[in-house]
């Protein structure tokens, strides 16, 4: 597979395993699709599917996803802790290999138009695909949730990019967009001092003056008697793991606190870790083409 | 491809591109084989092919290699700077993913027996496949080279593992064996002091009291006005890159010499670099299964 695009749709069903598995099987059966993971959260009543393919594969996967999800998920009967506006709530499209963010933006527009047309669901292009600043942030789009959407969509600024000007009666609305790969990365500190973790989170996150593509929060790890800086890395090429790690280490050590470890939650692209190896080993003239397994992915 | 085995045969032809390419095309056309690289060295008059496959793929690749090489390479007319004993000189078989060194040893025996039977070439099992300590070291086997082999093979300790007790008239003899992946890894020092590089090479290599799976030599980089510690890492799991790098750094800095960079020559398994990232980022509970591209290699 020369072109690898990741798609991680979130659907509003995380309690009925039969429904989740029927939808997952629909995606798995689509031509050119590799379904890598399905994670359900019952308290959120929400599931995340992870699949990859080239452009055609992702098109087919999203087609199969909506065909299976729309008749099976009825938001008028849905409750859960996580905010949601659609049966298929959000469809992130992520360049991994042999493609670009721009090409994924173009793909997201094609896919959005097709979904709106086929299922009469309003589609908002978000993140890098957004056509207005207001639509860039998923949390902003989702505000009001399914129950408030008929009202919200009356405002001209909430006219969708594709589809009807009112929510689908059972499937609501959906956000579709391209974004850089996101890495969930946590750094664990050898202290119980949550205020210390909060100080470090503020130091490294964009909002606090830190790295542009870093979001961070302090978290208590009660079972370990430690605290954690919980991080979303929204662009590991521009704000790489090792730079953030070293910044956390420096800030922590200034207060005599050791960094006891870090963890990557879920999947991450090989490049994010290769960049760290390249940095610490001071590799010269290194190319991902030198990694045997990555060569095997080429045609 | 769930099982990935690398095979890097060396053939005694590095000057006639037509012959090299005919042999390479033979290998490329074998079922289940992915030919990744062909490198010819005219002064050595020798080429290295790199291909991968599962067990059946490697069997087919080696079959195709011998079928193409034996009629095309005549050692009675061969000269070059690199010592050699066979038209196909050596066939290393290397476990990369979803297999073990032991399984590659078993595979090397099957392949050796088949080659000997089909082409009447004596086969020596070497490295981890060796049946005697004397046969473990390729340089020992090769001593005497093609021209001396008829005489050498009269000694009972040089009876081959498979095939006739005399060299093939034009194709000589071949070494076949399993070994751990080898990484060519160089560390560059910000000094012209070759004696310093030699001191460090001795400190890190097995022979000098250093890491068990490290071979190292000092090298002058005339164009850079620097010196290099040139390393063969013969088992990166047991003697990992980052440990060797840190040892070189510590030894160099004790003499006020900076490590200006390092380089990986040619291909290396992803795991070698992931281990470095895991070390420096202090990753907890990390698994290669979390690397998206490696998941794509699974069935």
């Amino acid at each position: 597979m020369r072109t690898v695009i990741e798609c991680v749709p979130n659907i509003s069903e995380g309690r009925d395993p039969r429904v989740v598995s029927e939808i997952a099987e629909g995606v798995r059966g689509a031509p050119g699709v590799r379904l890598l993971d399905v994670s359900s959260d019952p308290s959120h009543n929400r599931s995340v599917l992870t699949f990859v393919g080239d452009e055609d594969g992702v098109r087919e996967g999203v087609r199969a996803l909506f065909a299976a999800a729309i008749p099976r998920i009825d938001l008028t009967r849905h409750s859960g802790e996580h905010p949601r506006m659609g049966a298929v709530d959000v469809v992130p499209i992520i360049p991994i290999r042999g493609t670009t963010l721009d090409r994924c933006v173009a793909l997201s527009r094609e896919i959005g138009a097709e979904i709106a047309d086929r299922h009469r669901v309003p589609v908002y292009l978000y993140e890098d695909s957004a056509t207005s600043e207001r639509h860039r942030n998923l949390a902003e789009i989702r505000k009001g949730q399914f129950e408030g959407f008929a009202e919200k969509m009356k405002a001209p600024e909430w006219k969708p990019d594709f589809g009807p000007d009112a929510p689908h009666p059972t499937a609501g609305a959906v956000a579709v967009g391209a974004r850089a790969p996101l890495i969930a990365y946590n750094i664990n500190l050898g202290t119980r001092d949550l205020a210390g973790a909060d100080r470090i989170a503020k130091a490294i996150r964009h909002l606090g003056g830190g790295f542009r593509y870093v979001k961070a929060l302090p978290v208590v790890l009660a079972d370990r008697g430690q605290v954690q800086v919980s991080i979303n890395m929204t662009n590991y090429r521009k704000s790489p793991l090792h730079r953030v790690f070293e910044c956390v280490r420096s800030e922590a050590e200034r207060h005599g606190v050791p960094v006891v470890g870090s963890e990557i939650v879920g999947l991450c692209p090989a490049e994010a870790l290769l960049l760290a190896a390249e940095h610490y080993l001071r590799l010269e003239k290194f190319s991902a083409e030198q990694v045997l397994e990555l060569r095997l992915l080429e045609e």
Side-chain angles (χ1 to χ4, degrees), chain A:
Chain A
M1 205 186 285
R2 195 176 282 279
T3 297
V4 178
I5 300 169
E6 187 187 14
C7 186
V8 285
N10 292 212
I11 59 173
S12 294
E13 175 57 67
R15 290 178 187 160
D16 186 337
R18 194 181 48 80
V19 170
V20 174
S21 110
E22 284 170 4
I23 295 169
E25 287 316 305
V27 172
R28 195 195 305 276
V33 161
R34 295 280 298 274
L35 181 65
L36 295 181
D37 192 60
V38 181
S39 297
S40 295
D41 185 322
S43 73
H44 288 179
N45 198 5
R46 186 178 180 86
S47 299
V48 180
L49 284 72
T50 303
F51 70 87
V52 296
D54 60 12
E55 295 200 5
D56 285 338
V58 169
R59 257 187 221 107
E60 293 285 356
V62 174
R63 236 168 244 160
L65 173 77
F66 276 82
I70 298 282
R72 286 180 176 83
I73 301 177
D74 179 355
L75 277 196
T76 63
R77 292 155 31 168
H78 178 273
S79 68
E81 281 172 27
H82 197 289
R84 79 288 177 267
M85 61 184 185
V88 177
D89 198 54
V90 55
V91 180
I93 294 172
I94 304 155
I96 301 292
R97 252 177 91 81
T99 185
T100 62
L101 193 53
D102 282 348
R103 296 193 58 166
C104 288
V105 166
L107 178 64
S108 72
R109 290 191 181 143
E110 288 172 41
I111 285 175
E114 183 187 315
I115 292 164
D117 191 49
R118 190 174 293 206
H119 297 285
R120 307 305 303 150
V121 177
V123 171
Y124 293 91
L125 295 171
Y126 84 116
E127 284 275 357
D128 287 84
S129 302
T131 51
S132 76
E133 268 316 301
R134 194 187 293 263
H135 289 193
R136 185 174 287 273
N137 187 326
L138 181 60
E140 281 298 310
I141 299 176
R142 205 147 48 192
K143 239 177 227 167
Q145 297 198 49
F146 175 68
E147 290 73 10
F149 243 67
E151 192 56 33
K152 175 175 187 169
M153 288 183 71
K154 288 178 183 161
E157 65 267 30
W158 288 110
K159 186 175 158 56
D161 290 284
F162 304 108
D165 289 347
H168 183 286
T170 58
V174 61
V176 176
R179 61 163 171 79
L182 184 148
I183 301 174
Y185 181 54
N186 301 323
I187 301 179
N188 302 327
L189 306 178
T191 174
R192 291 173 182 275
D193 174 22
L194 188 63
D198 186 44
R199 203 165 46 229
I200 292 174
K202 284 191 177 112
I204 63 168
R205 71 192 177 203
H206 187 222
L207 280 175
F211 296 101
R212 177 156 180 188
Y213 298 102
V214 167
K215 299 174 183 176
L217 285 174
V219 170
V220 173
L221 303 179
D223 53 329
R224 293 169 57 133
Q226 295 178 338
V227 295
Q228 177 180 80
V229 183
S230 175
I231 307 169
N232 270 346
M233 312 272 307
T234 60
N235 188 329
Y236 67 80
R237 288 197 185 97
K238 294 186 176 165
S239 303
L241 267 68
H242 57 84
R243 205 168 294 151
V244 175
F245 177 84
E246 290 299 330
C247 183
V248 169
R249 177 154 81 166
S250 160
E251 293 297 313
E253 287 179 356
R254 177 250 176 280
H255 295 282
V257 171
V259 167
V260 296
S262 76
E263 57 192 43
I264 289 167
V265 182
L267 294 174
C268 94
E271 190 188 24
L273 293 165
L274 294 178
L275 286 172
E278 197 176 347
H279 170 82
Y280 287 110
L281 298 176
R282 305 183 190 176
L283 289 177
E284 301 178 3
K285 295 172 289 182
F286 177 71
S287 148
E289 296 297 295
Q290 293 180 255
V291 178
L292 205 144
E293 290 89 341
L294 299 185
R295 290 288 299 279
L296 295 183
L297 290 176
E298 292 169 16
E299 227 73 58

